[in-house]
Amino acid sequence: MNELQPRQLRRPSSINSRLSFAISTHSAEAAQPHEDVQPAREHIEEIEEIRRYEDFTTIDWVQDAARAQLQRRVDRRHKDGFFSRGVAAGGWRRKLWDSYDAGQAWIVITIIGIAIGLNASFLNIVTEWLSDIKLGHCTTAFYLNENFCCWGAENGCNEWVHWSGNGPLNYLLYILFSILFAFTSAFLVKQFAPYAAGSGISEIKCIIAGFVMKGFLGWWTLVIKSIGLPLAIGSGLSVGKEGPSVHYAVCTGNVISRLFSKYKKNAAKMREILSACAAAGVGVAFGSPIGGVLFSLEEMSTNFPLKTMWRSYFCALVATAVLAAMNPFRTGQLVMFQVSYDRDWHFFEVVFFVILGIFGGLYGEFVIKWNLRAQAFRKRYLVNYAIAEATFLAGITAIICYFNMFLRIDMTESMEILFRECEGGHDYNGLCQADRRWHMITSLTIATVIRTFLVIISYGCKVPAGIFVPSMAIGAAFGRTVGILVQALHEAAPDSRFFSSCQPDVPCITPGTYAFLGAAAALSGIMHITVSVVVIMFELTGALTYILPTMIVVGVTKAVSDRFGKGGIADRMIWFNGFPFLDNKEDHSFGVPVSQVMNDKLTVFPASGITISEIETILKSTKYQGFPIVQDRNSRFILGYINRSELQYGINRSRRERTIPSNARCFFTPPTTTIQTPGSATVAVSSASFSGALSIDFARFIDATPLTVHPRLPLETVTEIFKKVGPRAVLVEDRGKLCGIVTRKDVLKFQFQMENREHPRNDDEVEGERVREEKLWALIERTASTIKGWLFRQPPRLRPGRERERDLMSDGVEFESSSGVELDEGVHGQR
């Protein structure tokens, strides 16, 4: 066989034509017998098997689209062969299969929605029981929480009793239960599913955008998240279950949809399912299916076409309907803090609504700033002490919160109390009594400050933890405080012109609505979301009259938040963890061409002349996910691009077919523009007639039309290509000559450099933070050593007069010595 020669190719110039050409050359249908389909199916499956193990990489959506198109054509040809045997074209079997294939998405969505609804019901029931069991138990049935035990009673009942009549003993049991629950949750997370820790929203945003995190949405993560979340909430930590609801919902969708090959093999379709599951997770968390759809649109998804919106709506609808059918609270409510208001608001209250909005923006920025510092400290010093940290935080939280009536109970229960109107007999420990007004203001203010501090240090510890409900509880406490003050102001001057719109015989101020609006402000401030918050709060109350106040509060919160920083805590955590995520909501203005960002130190493969040993050496010494193909290393005329996984697959397949010597020559000549059939995707191994040496042709794996841009193209345009087209890499060329390559990470790196130049940090300030962190860690170590010294105190030394008596005891010295060594090793090991 003659030696293969590189061919000059005229490559399409525009992006659209290159995309069309890439798809057509890989998937154009031609007349081909049925027996040629099976090799193509095996070829695709083997490459997908290789790709499946590429962790912490980004998906190339351009190649994924071409591969999906090829898969569809291969599957269609395979089905044509099946339906053509023994039945006429267009028979009932084909129609039945086509109907199933068209409705498969809705079947999958229905199954996922049912599973999410059932899981949410289970978690609500278990969480309420664990939260109440710390305070007491039901004498009629141990498995009932306080609400079910005292069904129909307003202020407790005789069947629900505390653990003891001794107050200090109840306090001690409350602390021990909290520590036990937190320890169990942290232990399960560390031992079985580390990805189950935290909220998961930041990572899911990146996964939906195309980032691969193996195991983050797996079966073990789903199980441990579902078990550890009620334990973390029951421990009393200042964390919520609404954020993790999105994580376990997306895990459910991933586990179930992978049972169907249509979604297992197609990353784009899988991302549509994940977006729908995120909407269902928020829907069951807040009892707000429409709010969940808008949350998925506003916060989670980078691409949200109409088809995805309908599937998100249907998934949230099914999950919420199942939750309503299960009725976990036996009240008809989907969440515990669901309320209704039948009283209108007054225009003069807009002043106080603005105050609530300002508080929400300031709260969000304050918590984000200091929580990121706490996360940095945790990442530097507490990585090896995850279980001890969660246990310690639960113990400290229980010790502090037991004496405050709004901190001692579960946060969802406290919001239910704060949202209520005072009329109708709803009075919690004198919350609505005028003579206890200032006592309640003091208690609510203390609860606001302490809860804010606990959220800062608790969110991010290694247990399933969200920040939605803690922020809403803080906003509700502050809002109720403002409402009580406004109510007191009105009662002090009822005839003032400021309150002239109030009717004489009707309560003018409803403090519960201020708590409701404060919760909306805090949620908007911490997440930087607007429309979805308004809809969620509307679905919680069903009050059309309070849509406008909610919009005012959220609008003010948004303005204040944007003034001090960009992005909510989920976006900041993406930046903190260094995930390769380009936000579609963010506008970029770099003012530089792509040539200033590209990487010009490239590893390229010539079309001919390179041996297989050289290729394997390059694969071992580099971690690049792909390599440009050039005519030769001197001219650098671009011929195409080959992915690392396809190249590795081609080498492995050629070695399976026959023995390949190390000096075998490899050719990367791109295929011509003629139509290829799927069955031809193989590795061509041949012998050169003049020397007898083997040659390997990787032509079938080369992308002959990679995306290319000119060096002078603005970086903003390249960023939009990454956002909307989704390639893994873009080649930079000038008149066909390769100049460099730019990836998503290169753009993000340059963006961070620009932000650091715009907001530089003083070296003295950075050094001061480092010194303060070291001093804090030294204080923690000294405190831990002191506590261990108290707990593991060594026995007192014997007086000299009794040493002879001790020596007469056989093996006494050996026992004491070995015991002391074991104790020292244990202390140092734990330190």
PDB file of all heavy atoms in Angstrom, residues 436-460:
ATOM      1  N   ARG A 436     -46.080  42.849  76.332  1.00  0.00           N
ATOM      2  CA  ARG A 436     -44.813  42.135  76.105  1.00  0.00           C
ATOM      3  C   ARG A 436     -44.140  42.575  74.809  1.00  0.00           C
ATOM      4  O   ARG A 436     -43.280  41.887  74.285  1.00  0.00           O
ATOM      5  CB  ARG A 436     -45.072  40.622  76.051  1.00  0.00           C
ATOM      6  CG  ARG A 436     -45.467  40.018  77.380  1.00  0.00           C
ATOM      7  CD  ARG A 436     -45.748  38.537  77.237  1.00  0.00           C
ATOM      8  NE  ARG A 436     -44.642  37.803  76.672  1.00  0.00           N
ATOM      9  CZ  ARG A 436     -43.592  37.335  77.356  1.00  0.00           C
ATOM     10  NH1 ARG A 436     -43.528  37.562  78.667  1.00  0.00           N
ATOM     11  NH2 ARG A 436     -42.634  36.662  76.754  1.00  0.00           N
ATOM     12  N   ARG A 437     -44.525  43.726  74.291  1.00  0.00           N
ATOM     13  CA  ARG A 437     -44.045  44.177  72.984  1.00  0.00           C
ATOM     14  C   ARG A 437     -42.542  44.403  72.992  1.00  0.00           C
ATOM     15  O   ARG A 437     -41.827  43.923  72.106  1.00  0.00           O
ATOM     16  CB  ARG A 437     -44.797  45.442  72.595  1.00  0.00           C
ATOM     17  CG  ARG A 437     -44.419  46.022  71.250  1.00  0.00           C
ATOM     18  CD  ARG A 437     -45.380  47.119  70.879  1.00  0.00           C
ATOM     19  NE  ARG A 437     -46.714  46.588  70.606  1.00  0.00           N
ATOM     20  CZ  ARG A 437     -47.832  47.331  70.635  1.00  0.00           C
ATOM     21  NH1 ARG A 437     -47.772  48.605  70.966  1.00  0.00           N
ATOM     22  NH2 ARG A 437     -48.989  46.775  70.345  1.00  0.00           N
ATOM     23  N   TRP A 438     -42.041  45.131  73.967  1.00  0.00           N
ATOM     24  CA  TRP A 438     -40.604  45.446  73.980  1.00  0.00           C
ATOM     25  C   TRP A 438     -39.768  44.219  74.299  1.00  0.00           C
ATOM     26  O   TRP A 438     -38.633  44.089  73.833  1.00  0.00           O
ATOM     27  CB  TRP A 438     -40.324  46.574  74.965  1.00  0.00           C
ATOM     28  CG  TRP A 438     -40.952  47.849  74.520  1.00  0.00           C
ATOM     29  CD1 TRP A 438     -42.045  48.463  75.052  1.00  0.00           C
ATOM     30  CD2 TRP A 438     -40.551  48.643  73.403  1.00  0.00           C
ATOM     31  NE1 TRP A 438     -42.352  49.600  74.347  1.00  0.00           N
ATOM     32  CE2 TRP A 438     -41.440  49.735  73.327  1.00  0.00           C
ATOM     33  CE3 TRP A 438     -39.521  48.546  72.459  1.00  0.00           C
ATOM     34  CZ2 TRP A 438     -41.332  50.715  72.341  1.00  0.00           C
ATOM     35  CZ3 TRP A 438     -39.410  49.509  71.488  1.00  0.00           C
ATOM     36  CH2 TRP A 438     -40.312  50.579  71.432  1.00  0.00           C
ATOM     37  N   HIS A 439     -40.329  43.319  75.074  1.00  0.00           N
ATOM     38  CA  HIS A 439     -39.622  42.056  75.309  1.00  0.00           C
ATOM     39  C   HIS A 439     -39.486  41.278  74.007  1.00  0.00           C
ATOM     40  O   HIS A 439     -38.423  40.698  73.714  1.00  0.00           O
ATOM     41  CB  HIS A 439     -40.380  41.234  76.353  1.00  0.00           C
ATOM     42  CG  HIS A 439     -39.836  39.842  76.519  1.00  0.00           C
ATOM     43  ND1 HIS A 439     -38.650  39.579  77.179  1.00  0.00           N
ATOM     44  CD2 HIS A 439     -40.313  38.633  76.101  1.00  0.00           C
ATOM     45  CE1 HIS A 439     -38.423  38.278  77.174  1.00  0.00           C
ATOM     46  NE2 HIS A 439     -39.413  37.676  76.524  1.00  0.00           N
ATOM     47  N   MET A 440     -40.536  41.278  73.194  1.00  0.00           N
ATOM     48  CA  MET A 440     -40.483  40.579  71.913  1.00  0.00           C
ATOM     49  C   MET A 440     -39.523  41.261  70.940  1.00  0.00           C
ATOM     50  O   MET A 440     -38.814  40.579  70.183  1.00  0.00           O
ATOM     51  CB  MET A 440     -41.885  40.501  71.302  1.00  0.00           C
ATOM     52  CG  MET A 440     -42.803  39.536  72.016  1.00  0.00           C
ATOM     53  SD  MET A 440     -42.157  37.845  71.903  1.00  0.00           S
ATOM     54  CE  MET A 440     -43.117  37.042  73.188  1.00  0.00           C
ATOM     55  N   ILE A 441     -39.495  42.575  70.957  1.00  0.00           N
ATOM     56  CA  ILE A 441     -38.551  43.288  70.081  1.00  0.00           C
ATOM     57  C   ILE A 441     -37.120  42.926  70.441  1.00  0.00           C
ATOM     58  O   ILE A 441     -36.279  42.660  69.570  1.00  0.00           O
ATOM     59  CB  ILE A 441     -38.794  44.809  70.180  1.00  0.00           C
ATOM     60  CG1 ILE A 441     -40.116  45.180  69.505  1.00  0.00           C
ATOM     61  CG2 ILE A 441     -37.640  45.580  69.543  1.00  0.00           C
ATOM     62  CD1 ILE A 441     -40.492  46.637  69.663  1.00  0.00           C
ATOM     63  N   THR A 442     -36.827  42.883  71.733  1.00  0.00           N
ATOM     64  CA  THR A 442     -35.475  42.507  72.168  1.00  0.00           C
ATOM     65  C   THR A 442     -35.150  41.070  71.772  1.00  0.00           C
ATOM     66  O   THR A 442     -34.054  40.778  71.265  1.00  0.00           O
ATOM     67  CB  THR A 442     -35.365  42.666  73.689  1.00  0.00           C
ATOM     68  OG1 THR A 442     -35.681  44.012  74.053  1.00  0.00           O
ATOM     69  CG2 THR A 442     -33.953  42.338  74.159  1.00  0.00           C
ATOM     70  N   SER A 443     -36.090  40.163  71.998  1.00  0.00           N
ATOM     71  CA  SER A 443     -35.861  38.760  71.670  1.00  0.00           C
ATOM     72  C   SER A 443     -35.662  38.566  70.161  1.00  0.00           C
ATOM     73  O   SER A 443     -34.773  37.821  69.731  1.00  0.00           O
ATOM     74  CB  SER A 443     -37.030  37.923  72.168  1.00  0.00           C
ATOM     75  OG  SER A 443     -36.830  36.554  71.890  1.00  0.00           O
ATOM     76  N   LEU A 444     -36.476  39.255  69.350  1.00  0.00           N
ATOM     77  CA  LEU A 444     -36.343  39.129  67.897  1.00  0.00           C
ATOM     78  C   LEU A 444     -35.033  39.740  67.394  1.00  0.00           C
ATOM     79  O   LEU A 444     -34.408  39.204  66.470  1.00  0.00           O
ATOM     80  CB  LEU A 444     -37.534  39.797  67.216  1.00  0.00           C
ATOM     81  CG  LEU A 444     -38.875  39.058  67.299  1.00  0.00           C
ATOM     82  CD1 LEU A 444     -40.008  39.946  66.821  1.00  0.00           C
ATOM     83  CD2 LEU A 444     -38.823  37.778  66.470  1.00  0.00           C
ATOM     84  N   THR A 445     -34.619  40.840  67.976  1.00  0.00           N
ATOM     85  CA  THR A 445     -33.348  41.462  67.569  1.00  0.00           C
ATOM     86  C   THR A 445     -32.172  40.554  67.897  1.00  0.00           C
ATOM     87  O   THR A 445     -31.262  40.361  67.077  1.00  0.00           O
ATOM     88  CB  THR A 445     -33.177  42.814  68.269  1.00  0.00           C
ATOM     89  OG1 THR A 445     -34.302  43.657  67.968  1.00  0.00           O
ATOM     90  CG2 THR A 445     -31.899  43.498  67.802  1.00  0.00           C
ATOM     91  N   ILE A 446     -32.192  39.974  69.090  1.00  0.00           N
ATOM     92  CA  ILE A 446     -31.122  39.039  69.468  1.00  0.00           C
ATOM     93  C   ILE A 446     -31.130  37.833  68.534  1.00  0.00           C
ATOM     94  O   ILE A 446     -30.071  37.367  68.085  1.00  0.00           O
ATOM     95  CB  ILE A 446     -31.304  38.593  70.931  1.00  0.00           C
ATOM     96  CG1 ILE A 446     -31.077  39.781  71.868  1.00  0.00           C
ATOM     97  CG2 ILE A 446     -30.351  37.457  71.268  1.00  0.00           C
ATOM     98  CD1 ILE A 446     -31.373  39.474  73.329  1.00  0.00           C
ATOM     99  N   ALA A 447     -32.324  37.323  68.204  1.00  0.00           N
ATOM    100  CA  ALA A 447     -32.412  36.184  67.292  1.00  0.00           C
ATOM    101  C   ALA A 447     -31.862  36.533  65.915  1.00  0.00           C
ATOM    102  O   ALA A 447     -31.183  35.720  65.280  1.00  0.00           O
ATOM    103  CB  ALA A 447     -33.869  35.727  67.178  1.00  0.00           C
ATOM    104  N   THR A 448     -32.126  37.752  65.442  1.00  0.00           N
ATOM    105  CA  THR A 448     -31.615  38.172  64.132  1.00  0.00           C
ATOM    106  C   THR A 448     -30.099  38.203  64.117  1.00  0.00           C
ATOM    107  O   THR A 448     -29.453  37.686  63.189  1.00  0.00           O
ATOM    108  CB  THR A 448     -32.171  39.560  63.767  1.00  0.00           C
ATOM    109  OG1 THR A 448     -33.603  39.514  63.759  1.00  0.00           O
ATOM    110  CG2 THR A 448     -31.671  39.995  62.408  1.00  0.00           C
ATOM    111  N   VAL A 449     -29.499  38.800  65.151  1.00  0.00           N
ATOM    112  CA  VAL A 449     -28.034  38.935  65.195  1.00  0.00           C
ATOM    113  C   VAL A 449     -27.367  37.575  65.356  1.00  0.00           C
ATOM    114  O   VAL A 449     -26.415  37.232  64.625  1.00  0.00           O
ATOM    115  CB  VAL A 449     -27.635  39.884  66.343  1.00  0.00           C
ATOM    116  CG1 VAL A 449     -26.123  39.931  66.488  1.00  0.00           C
ATOM    117  CG2 VAL A 449     -28.185  41.282  66.101  1.00  0.00           C
ATOM    118  N   ILE A 450     -27.859  36.772  66.281  1.00  0.00           N
ATOM    119  CA  ILE A 450     -27.228  35.472  66.542  1.00  0.00           C
ATOM    120  C   ILE A 450     -27.384  34.552  65.339  1.00  0.00           C
ATOM    121  O   ILE A 450     -26.436  33.864  64.928  1.00  0.00           O
ATOM    122  CB  ILE A 450     -27.826  34.833  67.807  1.00  0.00           C
ATOM    123  CG1 ILE A 450     -27.431  35.640  69.042  1.00  0.00           C
ATOM    124  CG2 ILE A 450     -27.355  33.394  67.956  1.00  0.00           C
ATOM    125  CD1 ILE A 450     -28.012  35.110  70.338  1.00  0.00           C
ATOM    126  N   ARG A 451     -28.577  34.523  64.734  1.00  0.00           N
ATOM    127  CA  ARG A 451     -28.795  33.654  63.575  1.00  0.00           C
ATOM    128  C   ARG A 451     -27.905  34.059  62.404  1.00  0.00           C
ATOM    129  O   ARG A 451     -27.389  33.200  61.690  1.00  0.00           O
ATOM    130  CB  ARG A 451     -30.264  33.692  63.169  1.00  0.00           C
ATOM    131  CG  ARG A 451     -30.618  32.779  62.022  1.00  0.00           C
ATOM    132  CD  ARG A 451     -30.676  31.324  62.458  1.00  0.00           C
ATOM    133  NE  ARG A 451     -31.873  31.033  63.200  1.00  0.00           N
ATOM    134  CZ  ARG A 451     -32.109  29.876  63.835  1.00  0.00           C
ATOM    135  NH1 ARG A 451     -31.192  28.922  63.794  1.00  0.00           N
ATOM    136  NH2 ARG A 451     -33.225  29.673  64.506  1.00  0.00           N
ATOM    137  N   THR A 452     -27.699  35.360  62.216  1.00  0.00           N
ATOM    138  CA  THR A 452     -26.816  35.813  61.142  1.00  0.00           C
ATOM    139  C   THR A 452     -25.393  35.311  61.365  1.00  0.00           C
ATOM    140  O   THR A 452     -24.732  34.810  60.437  1.00  0.00           O
ATOM    141  CB  THR A 452     -26.817  37.346  61.060  1.00  0.00           C
ATOM    142  OG1 THR A 452     -28.154  37.810  60.833  1.00  0.00           O
ATOM    143  CG2 THR A 452     -25.921  37.835  59.931  1.00  0.00           C
ATOM    144  N   PHE A 453     -24.912  35.417  62.592  1.00  0.00           N
ATOM    145  CA  PHE A 453     -23.568  34.926  62.906  1.00  0.00           C
ATOM    146  C   PHE A 453     -23.469  33.415  62.703  1.00  0.00           C
ATOM    147  O   PHE A 453     -22.491  32.914  62.119  1.00  0.00           O
ATOM    148  CB  PHE A 453     -23.211  35.291  64.347  1.00  0.00           C
ATOM    149  CG  PHE A 453     -21.958  34.631  64.852  1.00  0.00           C
ATOM    150  CD1 PHE A 453     -20.706  35.061  64.425  1.00  0.00           C
ATOM    151  CD2 PHE A 453     -22.027  33.574  65.735  1.00  0.00           C
ATOM    152  CE1 PHE A 453     -19.550  34.441  64.879  1.00  0.00           C
ATOM    153  CE2 PHE A 453     -20.882  32.951  66.201  1.00  0.00           C
ATOM    154  CZ  PHE A 453     -19.630  33.400  65.771  1.00  0.00           C
ATOM    155  N   LEU A 454     -24.486  32.682  63.127  1.00  0.00           N
ATOM    156  CA  LEU A 454     -24.457  31.226  62.987  1.00  0.00           C
ATOM    157  C   LEU A 454     -24.538  30.799  61.526  1.00  0.00           C
ATOM    158  O   LEU A 454     -23.932  29.793  61.137  1.00  0.00           O
ATOM    159  CB  LEU A 454     -25.597  30.605  63.791  1.00  0.00           C
ATOM    160  CG  LEU A 454     -25.487  30.720  65.318  1.00  0.00           C
ATOM    161  CD1 LEU A 454     -26.727  30.150  65.987  1.00  0.00           C
ATOM    162  CD2 LEU A 454     -24.233  30.020  65.835  1.00  0.00           C
ATOM    163  N   VAL A 455     -25.292  31.524  60.706  1.00  0.00           N
ATOM    164  CA  VAL A 455     -25.347  31.206  59.284  1.00  0.00           C
ATOM    165  C   VAL A 455     -23.982  31.393  58.642  1.00  0.00           C
ATOM    166  O   VAL A 455     -23.543  30.580  57.811  1.00  0.00           O
ATOM    167  CB  VAL A 455     -26.409  32.086  58.581  1.00  0.00           C
ATOM    168  CG1 VAL A 455     -26.254  32.016  57.068  1.00  0.00           C
ATOM    169  CG2 VAL A 455     -27.800  31.630  58.964  1.00  0.00           C
ATOM    170  N   ILE A 456     -23.277  32.443  59.019  1.00  0.00           N
ATOM    171  CA  ILE A 456     -21.958  32.715  58.437  1.00  0.00           C
ATOM    172  C   ILE A 456     -20.997  31.573  58.714  1.00  0.00           C
ATOM    173  O   ILE A 456     -20.252  31.136  57.823  1.00  0.00           O
ATOM    174  CB  ILE A 456     -21.410  34.047  58.977  1.00  0.00           C
ATOM    175  CG1 ILE A 456     -22.223  35.221  58.413  1.00  0.00           C
ATOM    176  CG2 ILE A 456     -19.935  34.212  58.626  1.00  0.00           C
ATOM    177  CD1 ILE A 456     -21.858  36.556  59.007  1.00  0.00           C
ATOM    178  N   ILE A 457     -20.976  31.065  59.934  1.00  0.00           N
ATOM    179  CA  ILE A 457     -19.997  30.034  60.281  1.00  0.00           C
ATOM    180  C   ILE A 457     -20.494  28.623  59.978  1.00  0.00           C
ATOM    181  O   ILE A 457     -19.686  27.690  59.894  1.00  0.00           O
ATOM    182  CB  ILE A 457     -19.591  30.130  61.763  1.00  0.00           C
ATOM    183  CG1 ILE A 457     -20.796  29.880  62.674  1.00  0.00           C
ATOM    184  CG2 ILE A 457     -18.972  31.490  62.058  1.00  0.00           C
ATOM    185  CD1 ILE A 457     -20.444  29.829  64.160  1.00  0.00           C
ATOM    186  N   SER A 458     -21.811  28.430  59.815  1.00  0.00           N
ATOM    187  CA  SER A 458     -22.345  27.076  59.625  1.00  0.00           C
ATOM    188  C   SER A 458     -22.492  26.701  58.158  1.00  0.00           C
ATOM    189  O   SER A 458     -22.285  25.543  57.794  1.00  0.00           O
ATOM    190  CB  SER A 458     -23.703  26.935  60.317  1.00  0.00           C
ATOM    191  OG  SER A 458     -23.607  27.171  61.704  1.00  0.00           O
ATOM    192  N   TYR A 459     -22.875  27.642  57.302  1.00  0.00           N
ATOM    193  CA  TYR A 459     -23.092  27.310  55.892  1.00  0.00           C
ATOM    194  C   TYR A 459     -21.744  26.993  55.246  1.00  0.00           C
ATOM    195  O   TYR A 459     -20.848  27.834  55.197  1.00  0.00           O
ATOM    196  CB  TYR A 459     -23.754  28.476  55.168  1.00  0.00           C
ATOM    197  CG  TYR A 459     -24.023  28.202  53.702  1.00  0.00           C
ATOM    198  CD1 TYR A 459     -24.980  27.282  53.319  1.00  0.00           C
ATOM    199  CD2 TYR A 459     -23.300  28.842  52.710  1.00  0.00           C
ATOM    200  CE1 TYR A 459     -25.230  27.017  51.983  1.00  0.00           C
ATOM    201  CE2 TYR A 459     -23.538  28.587  51.364  1.00  0.00           C
ATOM    202  CZ  TYR A 459     -24.502  27.675  51.015  1.00  0.00           C
ATOM    203  OH  TYR A 459     -24.734  27.409  49.690  1.00  0.00           O
ATOM    204  N   GLY A 460     -21.610  25.784  54.777  1.00  0.00           N
ATOM    205  CA  GLY A 460     -20.355  25.320  54.196  1.00  0.00           C
ATOM    206  C   GLY A 460     -19.718  24.193  54.962  1.00  0.00           C
ATOM    207  O   GLY A 460     -18.768  23.578  54.465  1.00  0.00           O
TER     208      GLY A 460
END
